Amino acid sequence: METREDLAPPADNKKWELRLYVAGQTAKSAAALANLRRYCAEYMEGSYSLEVIDLLLHPQLAEGDQILAIPTLVRKVPAPLRRIIGDLSNEERVLVGLDIRPRDSH
């Protein structure tokens, strides 16, 4: 599994570059991808790029982002780089990790 989703940035030019490391089609990997896609659609629509890397197919790519557990989400942009480990089911933890404020908290 390796996919890449690129969407055009919104007018404010804020953009997230995300990389999700998974290991095949495990339940945790599938849950992490589904949860992440839901957060992207809800909070970052049109302002993110997502790359999904299957470490079973490309194990050499784990070293560059220092991946120690899977699934791991790496936020490359905006800086600083952040890693979130797990199936991303805790929405509040993921939003804090991505530095996103829910729309109703403005």
Side-chain angles (χ1 to χ4, degrees):
M1 171 184 356
E2 184 171 351
T3 61
R4 184 169 180 95
E5 299 173 13
D6 289 306
L7 299 171
D12 67 0
N13 289 326
K14 189 167 186 175
K15 183 169 173 70
W16 285 265
E17 288 183 21
L18 308 172
R19 186 175 283 177
L20 179 65
Y21 289 91
V22 297
Q25 300 288 330
T26 66
K28 277 192 170 186
S29 295
L33 183 57
N35 287 328
L36 181 57
R37 283 191 168 141
R38 182 169 48 89
Y39 303 141
C40 288
E42 188 169 343
Y43 299 105
M44 298 178 275
E45 185 174 354
S47 59
Y48 71 95
S49 64
L50 171 61
E51 186 175 11
V52 180
I53 297 175
D54 187 340
L55 291 179
L56 294 179
L57 301 174
H58 307 285
Q60 72 281 6
L61 296 178
E63 187 175 329
D65 281 327
Q66 300 176 347
I67 302 303
L68 302 175
I70 46 176
T72 296
L73 173 63
V74 177
R75 185 191 78 182
K76 299 182 87 62
V77 173
L81 185 141
R82 289 196 179 162
R83 294 176 188 84
I84 304 170
I85 297 171
D87 66 4
L88 309 177
S89 61
N90 185 328
E91 183 172 342
E92 182 177 340
R93 182 172 160 244
V94 173
L95 295 181
V96 168
L98 294 175
D99 196 23
I100 294 174
R101 294 190 180 106
R103 290 189 178 120
D104 58 352
S105 68
H106 293 278

